[in-house]
Amino acid sequence: DVFYRQLPKVELHAHLNGSVSSQTIEKLIKRKPHLNIEHSMTAIGKGQRRTLDECFQVFKVIHQLVDTEEDILMVTTDVIREFAADSVKYLELRSTPREEKHTGLTKKGYIETVIRAIQLCKNEGLDIDVRFLVAIDRRNGAEVAMETVALAEQFLLSSDGLVVGLDLSGDPTVGDGKSLLPALERAKNCGLKLSLHLSEVPSQLEESDLLLNLPPDRIGHGTFLHPEVGGSQNLVNKVLKNNIPLELCLTSNVKGQTVPCYSQHHFNYWYQLGHPSVICTDDKGVFSTDLSQEYQLTASTFGLSHETVWKLSQQAIDCIFAPQTVKQQLKQKWIELQPQVF
Ligand code: 5GP
């Protein structure tokens, strides 16, 4: 539908290596034929589902394909161009800096390359403002988390405002959030905004409670926060009290089987409460989707009018991590692009 394609959008939850399109995967496979990686190993097609565990295996395959600065530069520029072509006007990309001994890739070089790609796209004149969140993979533990925060801190000061925050992600069934609290507190204190994957699977009540006390600036997924699915009113109250926006990724949750079907997605719970929620893709490559599709799916599943969808995309501006001046510019852009009639 052309309405959704043309709708100006804000994307706040996109993992770089999960966002790689099939065209870019094709180019990567050609660069590394010896790996014997096939396309079917890097994306989950229409109607297909995987367990969350299987989804995390897919990232390992993609990481094998993306292990040099050259790869990161290509992947980042391609992903940004694709979001821009989908009328995304503001994008926050997130990625876990990796060190690869066999190619000489360092974590610092990783982040520098992502920043270089963002600047390249800026110079191309694409109509998209891109920022970066440095990601912590929870499986790597407290020490690595602290190192990552130190690195992110350096870039917060030296990246001309491109690095704005920190993400906590990775397999939610591995590692424990409590041990990461000192690193997250340090990040918060130095001015990095925090977006944390929270209650993505059941039985993380205690951890979510601790992490909500920080409090984070945004929540990724929050699938099992509310009492109807085994969460608690206490958790919901903390989210409401601090007015913490949620980043919601419908296709990702259905394909990863943490949500049984679209109509039971927790978008509805939070939407009914009038709580700020932002529709996002999570991993547009892995889950074979894009942000237009996610908005359209949300609208058709929950019966939202075009006007309501417009408001939803507009309200996302208030949830971005870039400074107030950027919010103002985006709000102006939305006013200019708003159709006379819906
Ligand atoms: P990268 O950080 O390498 O750019 O993107 C892939 C990584 O993002 C994965 O290895 C994983 O740590 C994280 N990730 C991507 N999608 C999800 C998700 O749905 N849930 C969680 N918890 N982590 C994810």
Side-chain angles (χ1 to χ4, degrees), residues 9 42 55 84 115-116 120 126 145 164 185 220 332:
K9 291 175 287 289
T42 64
C55 292
I115 290 173
R116 192 146 50 91
L120 271 173
L126 292 178
V164 288
E185 271 159 7
Q332 189 55 39

Side-chain angles (χ1 to χ4, degrees), residues 15-18 52 56 59 63 94-96 98 110 135 137 169-172 197 200 221 252 282-283 287:
H15 299 272
L16 178 61
N17 284 297
L52 203 56
F56 283 100
F59 295 122
H63 284 161
R94 54 185 78 191
S95 193
T96 327
R98 256 181 304 132
Y110 189 106
D137 185 338
S169 55
D171 191 339
H197 283 62
E200 199 177 353
H221 303 299
S252 163
D282 205 5
D283 301 287
F287 296 116

Side-chain angles (χ1 to χ4, degrees), residues 44 54 94 175 189 232 242 260 264 331:
I44 303 167
E54 287 166 334
R94 54 185 78 191
N189 289 335
S232 76
N242 292 299
Q264 284 184 48
K331 284 182 181 173

Side-chain angles (χ1 to χ4, degrees), residues 3 18 36 93 107 112 124 145 159 201 233-234 244 257 265 287 315 324 339:
F3 171 80
N36 280 322
L93 272 177
K107 292 186 181 182
E112 280 168 351
E124 268 177 33
S159 66
V201 292
Q233 193 58 46
N234 166 51
I244 313 171
Q257 296 181 342
H265 195 276
F287 296 116
Q315 283 161 1
Q324 200 59 35

